[in-house]
Structure formats: C-alpha cells, structure tokens
Amino acid sequence: MFLISMKPDSLPIPTDQGPNWKGIGYLVSIVSVFFLGAIAWPKPEDPEWHLPVLIAGMAASILGMGFRYLAHRKQQAEIKKTKAEARSS
C-alpha cells in the first residue's frame, strides 16, 4: 500500500565526499610508530637483540594498520556494491 507511492529513487544516497578520515588516522599512526621508534632506538651499550626486536615491532605495527585499512576499504566497496544492487532492483 505505502510502497506504491514511493519511487525507487526517492531516497538520497550519501556519496563519499570529503577526506578519508580513517585513512588519515592510519597514516598518522604510522608516522607515530617512526617517532616512537626513534626515541626507543637502542644505545650502543644496549643488548644486540634490542634493535631487531624494535624493528620487527615497528614493522608489525605498520603492517597491522595496513591490513586494517585494507579491510576498511573492502567493507566500503561491499557497502557501495550492495547499495548499487538495491538501486537497480
């Protein structure tokens, strides 16, 4: 009854405009990893294992942020695809 009066295109669909705040946040986090790594860089008197562990920790953190951002982009693409399918049906 109510669906007859509704046109399929009557609902506004938001578009992706403006900055990608999630991506910017991940970039800021990556930069902060380098700043924190610079402060934690081992001194000559520190044990030799500190440097590879620090580098591995920094790399793991950056890699994790990259994976989370890729998951976010995949989710956004799925949402966009679902909206397009809903509009076409």
Side-chain angles (χ1 to χ4, degrees), residues 1-3 7-8 14-16 18-19 22 27 37 39 41-42 47 52 54 60 79-80 84 88-89:
M1 171 164 111
F2 296 108
L3 296 177
K7 294 179 183 176
T15 58
D16 292 339
K22 191 166 270 195
L27 286 176
I39 292 297
W41 202 258
L54 174 65
I79 290 170
K80 187 182 274 188
S88 67
S89 53

Side-chain angles (χ1 to χ4, degrees), residues 13-72:
I13 297 176
T15 58
D16 292 339
Q17 293 180 355
N20 182 339
W21 292 109
K22 191 166 270 195
I24 292 169
Y26 284 128
L27 286 176
V28 169
S29 294
I30 289 170
V31 170
S32 75
V33 167
F34 287 109
F35 284 132
L36 293 170
I39 292 297
W41 202 258
K43 312 294 182 274
E45 63 271 7
D46 289 338
E48 289 184 18
W49 61 268
H50 280 198
L51 181 60
V53 169
L54 174 65
I55 291 172
M58 291 170 65
S61 180
I62 291 169
L63 193 61
M65 285 181 259
F67 286 143
R68 286 194 305 266
Y69 184 68
L70 287 175
H72 165 71

